[in-house]
Amino acid sequence: MSHFFQMGGYAVYVWGAYSLGAVVLIGNLWLTHRAKRRLWRRLLEM
Amino acid sequence: MNILLFSIPATLAAPEKFYRYTSRLLPKIYFLCSILFLLGMVGALVLAPPDFEQGDSFRIMYLHVPSAFLSLSIYTAMAGAAAIYFIWRVKLADVFAQCCASIGACFTALALLTGMIWGKPTWGTFWIWDARLTAELVQLFLYLGYWMIRQIVPDPLQAAKRSGILVLVGVVNLPIIHYSVVWWNTLHQGASLSLMNKPTIEASMLYPLLCMIAAFFLYFIVIVLLRMRIEILWRERRSQWVQALVRQRVLI
């Protein structure tokens, strides 16, 4: 298992890149859902 | 023939129809995207063997290539939408282009950053002013410029017009990015995948890449549809169908 996380000595690069990818993918979903919640609130207040 | 050609796009271009149609469509795309993403990640991180020359650092490619692919294809779609908006005044096309910009910018940034992270152990440097890298950076500025015009110009019609012109002018950058590795003697390697030729990488490395590209593409579709639905509800907030949805509290 630790062999997997070491990534043949490239751990910093590989996991660094994949965490950036996670930030972009999860971040976009989160921002979209936040925008949706805000819109609901504004529509219900109208 | 007229009915066939125009009725389907016209139906989908009506905001209410679009909203109801995508309500049914979204869960299916979401499901398919998750499956492909899981398959792609297992293939990318576990099943694909380490590269002969690059070792495990090549696994960054499974994020880099799909991001770069999205960076170019989202821009192409935006340019198409801008053209449709200018020619036929389809408002939905403008909504689409508007919702694409920030997603495109995110994936262009991700393509650049993952490329830099990979470049350090492989080329020995994070950045070099090479044709492919510079053209991709210009692409990021095009997305940001589009997004800024949308934010700054207060009148929606003016914003649509000006940002549409920018996106159409920026199309010249697409062939420059694509052919930069052919036209100039660059540090960036040539394409691993092409529609015309046989892929230059091995099957166990290729299939995870195809899965990831498909998953990223579907992810983009999910996000852009969700954002378009938000934008449509806001633009149409005074219309009867939105009011009815609000009264029944069935906003999805």
Side-chain angles (χ1 to χ4, degrees), chain A residues 7-8 13 17-18 25 28 32, chain B residues 54 56 59 63 117 219 227:
Chain A
M7 279 290 157
Y13 301 104
Y18 275 80
L25 295 177
N28 265 299
T32 308
Chain B
Q54 300 171 18
D56 283 303
R59 297 184 197 281
L63 290 180
I117 293 173
Y219 174 86
R227 293 205 179 155

Side-chain angles (χ1 to χ4, degrees), chain B residues 21-220:
Chain B
Y21 179 69
T22 50
S23 296
R24 292 196 302 273
L25 193 66
L26 265 167
K28 290 170 198 159
I29 308 178
Y30 211 89
F31 177 73
L32 196 62
C33 177
S34 315
I35 300 276
L36 281 168
F37 192 72
L38 279 175
L39 283 176
M41 284 294 273
V42 172
L45 289 172
V46 185
L47 299 181
D51 185 71
F52 168 62
E53 284 176 330
Q54 300 171 18
D56 283 303
S57 74
F58 95 101
R59 297 184 197 281
I60 295 171
M61 171 189 79
Y62 293 110
L63 290 180
H64 179 71
V65 173
S67 312
F69 165 79
L70 274 189
S71 164
L72 296 194
S73 42
I74 291 175
Y75 198 86
T76 313
M78 274 172 78
I84 289 173
Y85 176 71
F86 280 136
I87 299 167
W88 290 291
R89 297 281 151 195
V90 180
K91 282 187 197 133
L92 205 60
D94 180 53
V95 173
F96 173 79
Q98 182 188 354
C99 296
C100 276
S102 62
I103 313 174
C106 279
F107 282 107
T108 309
L110 187 60
L112 284 166
L113 287 170
T114 51
M116 285 167 79
I117 293 173
W118 177 84
K120 186 65 187 166
T122 317
W123 295 342
T125 177
F126 280 116
W127 187 263
I128 174 174
W129 292 100
D130 150 296
R132 171 60 76 80
L133 278 64
T134 310
E136 186 69 7
L137 188 65
V138 169
Q139 185 71 18
L140 179 64
F141 291 142
L142 281 172
Y143 276 120
L144 292 179
Y146 182 95
W147 186 72
M148 272 171 67
I149 292 177
R150 285 286 183 175
Q151 298 292 316
I152 291 169
V153 181
D155 175 36
L157 281 177
Q158 278 295 319
K161 204 171 134 191
R162 291 183 193 181
S163 57
I165 291 169
L166 174 81
V167 83
L168 287 175
V169 171
V171 166
V172 288
N173 197 38
L174 292 176
I176 296 180
I177 296 180
H178 188 80
Y179 291 108
S180 55
V181 287
V182 184
W183 291 343
W184 290 285
N185 191 7
T186 67
L187 196 54
H188 196 286
Q189 69 208 67
S192 313
L193 291 175
S194 145
L195 283 179
M196 259 61 99
N197 307 315
K198 273 183 76 169
T200 54
I201 56 177
E202 220 261 318
S204 58
M205 291 179 173
L206 175 67
Y207 289 118
L209 183 60
L210 295 177
C211 275
M212 288 300 272
I213 291 176
F216 267 56
F217 184 72
L218 291 177
Y219 174 86
F220 158 68

